[in-house]
Amino acid sequence: MSTSTMPLKAPDLSDNRVMRVVAGLRPCRQGGLRLAGESIGGKRIVHHYGHGGSGITSAFGSSIVAADLAQESLSSDRTVAVLGGGIAGLTAARELVSRGYTTKIYAERFGIDTLSNLAGALWLPTGINLDTPEIGLNRFNTILRDAREKLALLDPKKYGIEILPVYEPAYAPIEHRFFEHTSLTPPRSIDRLPFPGPPRAGKVFETLFIHTPKLLDALLADLKGSGVEFVERSFGSIDDVLALDEPTIVNSLALGSRTIFGDDSMFPAKGVLVHVEPQDLGYCAHDGYKYMFPRSDALVLGGCFIEDEWDDTPDESIAREILSHHRRFFGLI
């Protein structure tokens, strides 16, 4: 066990610093990622969804597979429609544009107006099926490694990417599978967590932390600068999709895939988050599904993972429990 590091500043979690309580529905799927192509009504449909709580962690890698699948059908007509304006849709469009394809994104909302903007994001494959992934564990690990490499190539200032330590109490279960893809070094033990609160042994590891508003804004700017057209549109049925002009369609509709494409394996996992005024702490805290992420625009406190809950109304009682947990964790009460 290594010695503890220098003391770190505790967050200020006073009531007057709480800005808002938000909630969102993670687009989870039994079997994890769906990456597959099919022909429907004369269109080539490439499915790219099921990222769960790991959209920003995995989408830069899964978009490579989605673009490969789309490319199989692209010949003289080099136009592609992408459905969905969250991280999965934006990264798929980015990969297609990099290969020289004319791309148009159809969605109700884009970038920071989507679910992708609510949370962290810590680069860690949580909230997604890792036990029996439909695409196979080796393939999923390759996607994670590709995603990590792509993120590492981005300008960290422009895209809001940094490396931060993540501190956990020693009693937190070690999820070895989060580290088996070899993109992360497993946690090391420390004799005491380096911030106020009751003396506790702990663990620490380092990973990428992505400031989601910066990342999404930068991706939107890149795509617009590359000539990608954004069309505000909703889809009520598969017929609406098949009416599009583009012969090849990348489906990144997430939970919408359950309704539009009949994928009953899609299910929501509700998360409730407390956004506190931003604070420059320089670290993350992680204790199971309770976590603290220092985003540039908010200190994000989570969370919960309520499966099959379709109501995304923020739950004040859960928010109070999240705040109480973190106040106890940092010895503030």
Side-chain angles (χ1 to χ4, degrees):
M1 179 178 294
S2 64
T3 59
S4 58
T5 57
M6 295 295 291
L8 299 171
K9 180 181 177 182
D12 183 349
L13 304 180
S14 306
D15 285 343
N16 62 358
R17 301 207 67 175
V18 174
M19 298 189 297
R20 66 186 73 90
V21 176
V22 298
L25 306 180
R26 301 175 184 89
C28 298
R29 183 173 183 271
Q30 298 169 6
L33 286 173
R34 186 179 186 201
L35 291 166
E38 63 176 334
S39 295
I40 304 177
K43 303 282 189 181
R44 168 71 170 176
I45 308 293
V46 173
H47 296 293
H48 177 230
Y49 63 89
H51 295 78
S54 293
I56 291 176
T57 296
S58 58
F60 279 88
S62 62
S63 65
I64 297 173
V65 180
D68 288 343
L69 291 168
Q71 199 165 338
E72 293 176 2
S73 66
L74 292 168
S75 53
S76 57
D77 192 330
R78 299 173 64 84
T79 61
V80 187
V82 174
L83 312 183
I87 188 64
L90 297 182
T91 52
R94 183 178 188 271
E95 184 66 29
L96 288 162
V97 168
S98 74
R99 302 185 187 196
Y101 295 104
T102 300
T103 307
K104 185 182 293 187
I105 302 178
Y106 297 87
E108 291 185 69
R109 296 177 297 275
F110 304 93
I112 61 172
D113 294 324
T114 67
L115 173 67
S116 297
N117 190 42
L118 288 185
L122 192 68
W123 198 92
L124 198 68
T126 62
I128 189 169
N129 188 310
L130 294 178
D131 296 318
T132 55
E134 182 177 289
I135 62 173
L137 186 57
N138 288 338
R139 193 179 185 200
F140 181 67
N141 284 342
T142 297
I143 286 170
L144 291 177
R145 289 192 292 270
D146 288 344
R148 179 68 174 77
E149 290 174 6
K150 287 244 178 193
L151 283 164
L153 293 173
L154 298 177
D155 179 340
K157 184 175 181 181
K158 175 182 176 182
Y159 293 89
I161 301 171
E162 60 180 325
I163 297 175
L164 289 182
V166 182
Y167 291 96
E168 300 178 313
Y171 58 74
I174 297 177
E175 294 280 3
H176 294 287
R177 57 189 181 165
F178 291 168
F179 303 90
E180 289 173 349
H181 43 79
T182 72
S183 297
L184 291 175
T185 301
R188 67 180 187 275
S189 298
I190 53 176
D191 57 11
R192 179 169 176 167
L193 292 173
F195 31 70
R200 294 149 294 173
K203 298 173 289 186
V204 61
F205 66 93
E206 291 186 338
T207 188
L208 295 180
F209 180 74
I210 300 97
H211 298 266
T212 43
K214 289 186 178 181
L215 175 71
L216 294 170
D217 277 346
L219 289 176
L220 284 172
D222 288 348
L223 292 170
K224 290 175 181 177
S226 299
V228 172
E229 184 178 350
F230 292 79
V231 179
E232 187 175 330
R233 182 165 177 178
S234 60
F235 297 92
S237 69
I238 185 64
D239 292 334
D240 294 337
V241 174
L242 298 179
L244 296 176
D245 293 333
E246 292 79 10
T248 301
I249 299 166
V250 176
N251 166 36
S252 296
L253 285 177
L255 285 173
S257 297
R258 181 182 177 98
T259 302
I260 305 302
F261 291 95
D263 188 349
D264 291 336
S265 62
M266 287 297 297
F267 66 94
K270 182 176 180 176
V272 177
L273 301 164
V274 180
H275 284 192
V276 180
E277 290 178 356
Q279 299 169 46
D280 186 15
L281 298 175
Y283 66 91
C284 302
H286 196 259
D287 182 8
Y289 265 106
K290 295 291 190 297
Y291 51 82
M292 183 192 75
F293 296 156
R295 235 168 66 165
S296 57
D297 67 328
L299 185 65
V300 179
L301 306 180
C304 58
F305 195 87
I306 309 172
E307 296 187 15
D308 295 316
E309 173 58 72
W310 287 91
D311 182 0
D312 63 357
T313 304
D315 189 310
E316 292 294 337
S317 64
I318 294 177
R320 287 194 297 272
E321 195 276 328
I322 289 170
L323 268 171
S324 295
H325 171 89
H326 286 90
R327 287 166 177 167
R328 291 191 301 272
F329 188 82
F330 288 101
L332 302 175
I333 56 176

